[in-house]
Amino acid sequence: MTGMELKTSNKQIKAYLKANIDLKYQLFLQKLIPNCANILGVRMSILKALAKSIAKGDYQDFLTKKDFSSHEETMLYGLVLGNLKIPFAELVEYIAAYVPYLDNWAVCDSFCSSLKITNQNKDTMLVLIENYLSSTKEFEVRFAMIMLMSYYLDAKHLDLVLNLYNNNKHEGYYVKMAIAWGISVAFIKFREQTVVLLNNNRLSAWTNNKAIQKIIESNRVSRADKEMVRQWKRAKDKTN
């Protein structure tokens, strides 16, 4: 790690990533992230450490070049944004410019997880999130859904989040998976309100049943509640 703070040019970053390729991890990621052909195989711990270093240095140059030649470089860009200590209004502009480049669930979810600054700027971030709810792009919508799950499943925003989950009609697999995941987390945090949703919703049968599956698989849900939610499974829709 010595001298990592100097590795801020694209050429240096590429060389550093290449030097840290783990071929076994590459094979693991290729199975975990289908349809992603540009995986190098650099572990997340290394990417996170590099992102922190870049964020402390000449991050403007790195962000301006937007070199997304590999999965890792795309991932790294989002992690750098999550580490920036800049005014939130400025960060929002970078986020909006990056979201269209999200191309798989791993990049999307790691980016969302890194944006902990959202906790101090929920109202402003929510405005940005809402811009993506009606997008036709699968991972833009997933970004919105994962952000809602990660930062807005609280008493103030619960009704809004459940309503947005209930009414989203995007047919992308990774959108529906995100909604199902979010509903399962909502069940753990706000059981009574989520029971109402499961008992009567406008979700596709696939999404409804996947949410129930995730609830049943959770170690934080009682056996009685698992039996209860089974009754809300539905026959598959014709399109699912």
Side-chain angles (χ1 to χ4, degrees), residues 75-141:
M75 178 85 75
L76 183 63
Y77 195 100
L79 296 176
V80 170
L81 293 185
N83 278 279
L84 292 181
K85 308 299 181 183
I86 60 177
F88 189 70
E90 183 181 347
L91 179 61
V92 165
E93 293 184 9
Y94 281 120
I95 293 172
Y98 174 61
V99 168
Y101 292 94
L102 302 177
D103 60 358
N104 64 64
W105 68 265
V107 169
C108 176
D109 295 7
S110 67
F111 180 45
C112 293
S113 179
S114 75
L115 292 175
K116 293 181 174 55
I117 193 172
T118 301
N119 288 317
Q120 290 78 47
N121 300 274
K122 286 191 175 183
D123 291 344
T124 306
M125 184 66 90
L126 186 57
V127 173
L128 177 65
I129 291 170
E130 289 176 336
N131 290 334
Y132 299 109
L133 291 171
S134 59
S135 174
T136 59
K137 295 183 177 181
E138 183 172 14
F139 289 104
E140 289 189 0
V141 184

Side-chain angles (χ1 to χ4, degrees), residues 11-43:
K11 184 176 180 180
Q12 290 171 317
I13 290 169
K14 285 178 181 293
Y16 186 77
L17 293 175
K18 185 176 181 180
N20 283 278
I21 289 175
D22 182 330
L23 294 179
K24 289 184 178 179
Y25 189 62
Q26 181 189 64
L27 292 174
F28 169 75
L29 287 181
Q30 287 172 343
K31 294 178 182 178
L32 194 63
I33 313 172
N35 303 318
C36 184
N38 56 352
I39 297 173
L40 299 177
V42 180
R43 292 186 176 274

Side-chain angles (χ1 to χ4, degrees), residues 8-18 38 40 47 50 54 58-81 94 97-98 101-103 107:
T8 57
S9 74
N10 277 26
K11 184 176 180 180
Q12 290 171 317
I13 290 169
K14 285 178 181 293
Y16 186 77
L17 293 175
K18 185 176 181 180
N38 56 352
L40 299 177
L47 294 178
L50 182 55
I54 294 171
D58 184 15
Y59 65 84
Q60 293 96 339
D61 182 61
F62 170 77
L63 295 178
T64 298
K65 289 178 179 176
K66 282 194 179 73
D67 186 347
F68 300 145
S69 302
S70 67
H71 166 74
E72 280 76 5
E73 285 165 293
T74 308
M75 178 85 75
L76 183 63
Y77 195 100
L79 296 176
V80 170
L81 293 185
Y94 281 120
Y98 174 61
Y101 292 94
L102 302 177
D103 60 358
V107 169

Side-chain angles (χ1 to χ4, degrees), residues 10 12 18-19 22 43 46 57 61 76 82 86 91 104 126 133 149 151 170 179 195 208 210-211 223 226 230-232:
N10 277 26
Q12 290 171 317
K18 185 176 181 180
D22 182 330
R43 292 186 176 274
I46 293 173
D61 182 61
L76 183 63
I86 60 177
L91 179 61
N104 64 64
L126 186 57
L133 291 171
M149 180 190 72
Y151 302 104
H170 197 288
I179 292 172
V195 163
N208 176 80
K210 183 61 67 173
R223 181 176 298 179
K226 290 180 181 182
R230 290 181 196 275
Q231 68 180 302
W232 293 312

Side-chain angles (χ1 to χ4, degrees), residues 215-233:
I215 292 169
I216 292 171
E217 291 173 348
S218 174
N219 293 326
R220 299 172 64 186
V221 176
S222 70
R223 181 176 298 179
D225 278 348
K226 290 180 181 182
E227 289 303 314
M228 176 186 66
V229 300
R230 290 181 196 275
Q231 68 180 302
W232 293 312
K233 283 190 174 184

